[in-house]
Amino acid sequence: MTELIFATHNENKVREVRPLLDGNFRIMSLTELGLNDDIPEPFDTIPENAVEKARTIFELTGKNCFSEDTGLEVFSLNGEPGVKSARYAGPSHHFEANIDKLLGKLEGKTDRSARFLTVVCLILNGKRHLFEGECKGSITIARRGDKGFGYDSVFIPEGSDKTFGEMEFEEKNKFSHRRKAIDKLISFLQEEYK
Ligand code: IMP
């Protein structure tokens, strides 16, 4: 079975992505490989950071790998938190503080529409390929649900009345930005390996 390294330290992402690729590809997480190096996200755009994460792990291992970078973009906040989603309230990467800041900035705003954007970067046999996934939705007034991670408890995807935080990951995967980007990755890999 073809092995692919998923260049992330976020085990929530691994849990969401692994079942999508299972059966055809063996996904190795950085934790499983004992790779604890910090992965830099130095750029101002999501695609550049996705490329940087995959490049870092490819340089370390020399193996086929993919990464992903995700941002939450809120339209009435001119796309914030966007590429700063992980460190919106400061460098501590504290989810609860990020959510508090987001809900505070949206207080009194009627337009609460938002989207998650994921860019996946695959490095296969040394060549780079990008895949994008988007999930439109809106931001709640207050947190709902304690499943998921990050901003899941305040995001309702279009087509549902639950937040991602109220969904098991199988249900989140029916809507999610990450699933859509991974579906494109899978179609590409199926062509490459047919
Ligand atoms: P990252 O840089 O791709 O790890 O993501 C930036 C931040 O966005 C993370 O710290 C999470 O707080 C948040 N995030 C990423 N993906 C999701 C998701 O699927 N749901 C909710 N929040 C997410």
Side-chain angles (χ1 to χ4, degrees):
M1 203 183 288
T2 309
E3 278 191 7
L4 278 177
I5 299 175
F6 185 10
T8 183
H9 290 302
N10 186 331
E11 288 303 307
N12 290 296
K13 292 182 179 180
V14 178
R15 207 169 307 134
E16 284 182 15
V17 163
R18 179 169 270 144
L20 302 173
L21 285 145
D22 252 4
N24 295 311
F25 299 94
R26 190 163 130 72
I27 301 304
M28 310 284 291
S29 75
L30 295 182
T31 311
E32 284 163 344
L33 293 167
L35 290 172
N36 298 315
D37 308 58
D38 209 25
I39 309 182
E41 296 180 38
F43 295 108
D44 289 336
T45 69
I46 290 171
E48 283 175 301
N49 282 329
V51 168
E52 183 64 13
K53 290 181 195 180
R55 199 189 58 76
T56 303
I57 296 306
F58 181 69
E59 279 186 2
L60 269 173
T61 63
K63 294 198 168 139
N64 292 331
C65 62
F66 68 97
S67 67
E68 68 94 84
D69 199 56
T70 294
L72 173 66
E73 298 175 349
V74 178
F75 296 103
S76 62
L77 300 178
N78 299 316
E80 281 186 21
V83 74
K84 295 202 182 79
S85 291
R87 47 186 192 281
Y88 194 36
S92 63
H93 292 224
H94 199 281
F95 289 163
E96 299 310 324
N98 288 339
I99 293 177
D100 286 342
K101 178 167 176 185
L102 177 66
L103 294 180
K105 283 207 158 198
L106 280 175
E107 236 171 62
K109 292 211 192 279
T110 45
D111 179 5
R112 304 181 73 90
S113 59
R115 70 166 185 169
F116 274 112
L117 178 68
T118 290
V119 174
V120 165
C121 175
L122 169 72
I123 299 185
L124 189 69
N125 304 323
K127 272 180 77 179
R128 187 186 291 172
H129 309 271
L130 295 182
F131 309 94
E132 201 176 288
E134 176 195 58
C135 178
K136 290 188 180 150
S138 61
I139 305 296
T140 52
I141 304 282
R143 292 169 174 78
R144 273 171 32 198
D146 55 8
K147 300 182 174 81
F149 67 102
Y151 298 94
D152 277 346
S153 63
V154 293
F155 184 85
I156 301 180
E158 272 179 8
S160 177
D161 50 14
K162 288 186 197 170
T163 66
F164 275 157
E166 294 173 304
M167 298 180 187
E168 301 297 340
F169 70 81
E170 293 89 345
E171 190 177 1
K172 177 179 173 184
N173 270 344
K174 290 186 192 150
F175 300 93
S176 105
H177 41 295
R178 186 165 297 106
R179 212 260 3 259
K180 290 174 188 159
I182 294 291
D183 278 355
K184 292 179 187 169
L185 168 74
I186 292 170
S187 302
F188 175 83
L189 288 170
Q190 281 170 343
E191 277 299 305
E192 288 291 301
Y193 285 98
K194 84 177 171 195

PDB file of all heavy atoms in Angstrom, residues 4 21 38 58 93 101 139 144 192:
ATOM      1  N   LEU A   4       1.937   7.661   2.666  1.00  0.00           N
ATOM      2  CA  LEU A   4       1.991   9.119   2.575  1.00  0.00           C
ATOM      3  C   LEU A   4       2.111   9.677   3.979  1.00  0.00           C
ATOM      4  O   LEU A   4       1.352   9.271   4.870  1.00  0.00           O
ATOM      5  CB  LEU A   4       0.682   9.658   1.991  1.00  0.00           C
ATOM      6  CG  LEU A   4       0.456   9.657   0.497  1.00  0.00           C
ATOM      7  CD1 LEU A   4      -0.961  10.167   0.218  1.00  0.00           C
ATOM      8  CD2 LEU A   4       1.479  10.543  -0.207  1.00  0.00           C
ATOM      9  N   LEU A  21      -8.855   8.462   3.385  1.00  0.00           N
ATOM     10  CA  LEU A  21      -7.834   7.877   2.509  1.00  0.00           C
ATOM     11  C   LEU A  21      -7.624   6.389   2.760  1.00  0.00           C
ATOM     12  O   LEU A  21      -6.989   5.704   1.963  1.00  0.00           O
ATOM     13  CB  LEU A  21      -6.496   8.611   2.709  1.00  0.00           C
ATOM     14  CG  LEU A  21      -6.453  10.002   2.070  1.00  0.00           C
ATOM     15  CD1 LEU A  21      -5.635  10.963   2.903  1.00  0.00           C
ATOM     16  CD2 LEU A  21      -5.895   9.931   0.664  1.00  0.00           C
ATOM     17  N   ASP A  38       9.049  21.544  15.116  1.00  0.00           N
ATOM     18  CA  ASP A  38       8.021  22.545  14.867  1.00  0.00           C
ATOM     19  C   ASP A  38       7.950  22.804  13.361  1.00  0.00           C
ATOM     20  O   ASP A  38       8.978  22.842  12.693  1.00  0.00           O
ATOM     21  CB  ASP A  38       8.429  23.830  15.601  1.00  0.00           C
ATOM     22  CG  ASP A  38       7.209  24.621  15.995  1.00  0.00           C
ATOM     23  OD1 ASP A  38       6.141  23.991  16.143  1.00  0.00           O
ATOM     24  OD2 ASP A  38       7.327  25.848  16.138  1.00  0.00           O
ATOM     25  N   PHE A  58       9.120  17.192   3.660  1.00  0.00           N
ATOM     26  CA  PHE A  58       9.786  16.505   2.543  1.00  0.00           C
ATOM     27  C   PHE A  58      11.300  16.619   2.699  1.00  0.00           C
ATOM     28  O   PHE A  58      12.034  15.646   2.490  1.00  0.00           O
ATOM     29  CB  PHE A  58       9.320  17.088   1.208  1.00  0.00           C
ATOM     30  CG  PHE A  58       9.958  16.404   0.031  1.00  0.00           C
ATOM     31  CD1 PHE A  58       9.644  15.081  -0.284  1.00  0.00           C
ATOM     32  CD2 PHE A  58      10.894  17.062  -0.751  1.00  0.00           C
ATOM     33  CE1 PHE A  58      10.253  14.437  -1.364  1.00  0.00           C
ATOM     34  CE2 PHE A  58      11.499  16.431  -1.831  1.00  0.00           C
ATOM     35  CZ  PHE A  58      11.179  15.114  -2.133  1.00  0.00           C
ATOM     36  N   HIS A  93      -1.660  30.518  20.652  1.00  0.00           N
ATOM     37  CA  HIS A  93      -2.461  29.518  19.928  1.00  0.00           C
ATOM     38  C   HIS A  93      -3.599  28.986  20.801  1.00  0.00           C
ATOM     39  O   HIS A  93      -3.933  27.814  20.748  1.00  0.00           O
ATOM     40  CB  HIS A  93      -1.609  28.320  19.471  1.00  0.00           C
ATOM     41  CG  HIS A  93      -0.619  28.666  18.405  1.00  0.00           C
ATOM     42  ND1 HIS A  93      -0.404  27.874  17.302  1.00  0.00           N
ATOM     43  CD2 HIS A  93       0.199  29.715  18.256  1.00  0.00           C
ATOM     44  CE1 HIS A  93       0.519  28.418  16.532  1.00  0.00           C
ATOM     45  NE2 HIS A  93       0.896  29.542  17.101  1.00  0.00           N
ATOM     46  N   LYS A 101     -12.247  36.440  21.066  1.00  0.00           N
ATOM     47  CA  LYS A 101     -11.949  37.638  20.273  1.00  0.00           C
ATOM     48  C   LYS A 101     -12.892  37.722  19.063  1.00  0.00           C
ATOM     49  O   LYS A 101     -13.435  38.795  18.759  1.00  0.00           O
ATOM     50  CB  LYS A 101     -10.487  37.601  19.800  1.00  0.00           C
ATOM     51  CG  LYS A 101     -10.124  38.791  18.941  1.00  0.00           C
ATOM     52  CD  LYS A 101      -8.635  38.941  18.728  1.00  0.00           C
ATOM     53  CE  LYS A 101      -8.359  40.106  17.780  1.00  0.00           C
ATOM     54  NZ  LYS A 101      -6.944  40.238  17.440  1.00  0.00           N
ATOM     55  N   ILE A 139     -21.253  32.310  11.639  1.00  0.00           N
ATOM     56  CA  ILE A 139     -20.741  32.257  13.018  1.00  0.00           C
ATOM     57  C   ILE A 139     -21.900  32.466  13.992  1.00  0.00           C
ATOM     58  O   ILE A 139     -22.697  33.398  13.822  1.00  0.00           O
ATOM     59  CB  ILE A 139     -19.665  33.354  13.240  1.00  0.00           C
ATOM     60  CG1 ILE A 139     -18.539  33.245  12.208  1.00  0.00           C
ATOM     61  CG2 ILE A 139     -19.107  33.295  14.670  1.00  0.00           C
ATOM     62  CD1 ILE A 139     -17.718  31.975  12.255  1.00  0.00           C
ATOM     63  N   ARG A 144     -21.482  26.413  20.769  1.00  0.00           N
ATOM     64  CA  ARG A 144     -22.435  25.301  20.876  1.00  0.00           C
ATOM     65  C   ARG A 144     -21.709  24.001  20.558  1.00  0.00           C
ATOM     66  O   ARG A 144     -21.169  23.864  19.465  1.00  0.00           O
ATOM     67  CB  ARG A 144     -23.591  25.495  19.888  1.00  0.00           C
ATOM     68  CG  ARG A 144     -24.710  26.334  20.474  1.00  0.00           C
ATOM     69  CD  ARG A 144     -25.758  26.714  19.465  1.00  0.00           C
ATOM     70  NE  ARG A 144     -25.996  25.764  18.418  1.00  0.00           N
ATOM     71  CZ  ARG A 144     -26.616  26.079  17.269  1.00  0.00           C
ATOM     72  NH1 ARG A 144     -27.050  27.311  17.060  1.00  0.00           N
ATOM     73  NH2 ARG A 144     -26.802  25.181  16.342  1.00  0.00           N
ATOM     74  N   GLU A 192      -2.992   9.030 -10.610  1.00  0.00           N
ATOM     75  CA  GLU A 192      -1.531   8.773 -10.626  1.00  0.00           C
ATOM     76  C   GLU A 192      -1.222   7.283 -10.474  1.00  0.00           C
ATOM     77  O   GLU A 192      -0.267   6.785 -11.037  1.00  0.00           O
ATOM     78  CB  GLU A 192      -0.843   9.521  -9.477  1.00  0.00           C
ATOM     79  CG  GLU A 192      -0.756  11.014  -9.660  1.00  0.00           C
ATOM     80  CD  GLU A 192       0.204  11.438 -10.767  1.00  0.00           C
ATOM     81  OE1 GLU A 192       1.388  11.093 -10.682  1.00  0.00           O
ATOM     82  OE2 GLU A 192      -0.264  12.114 -11.710  1.00  0.00           O
TER      83      GLU A 192
END
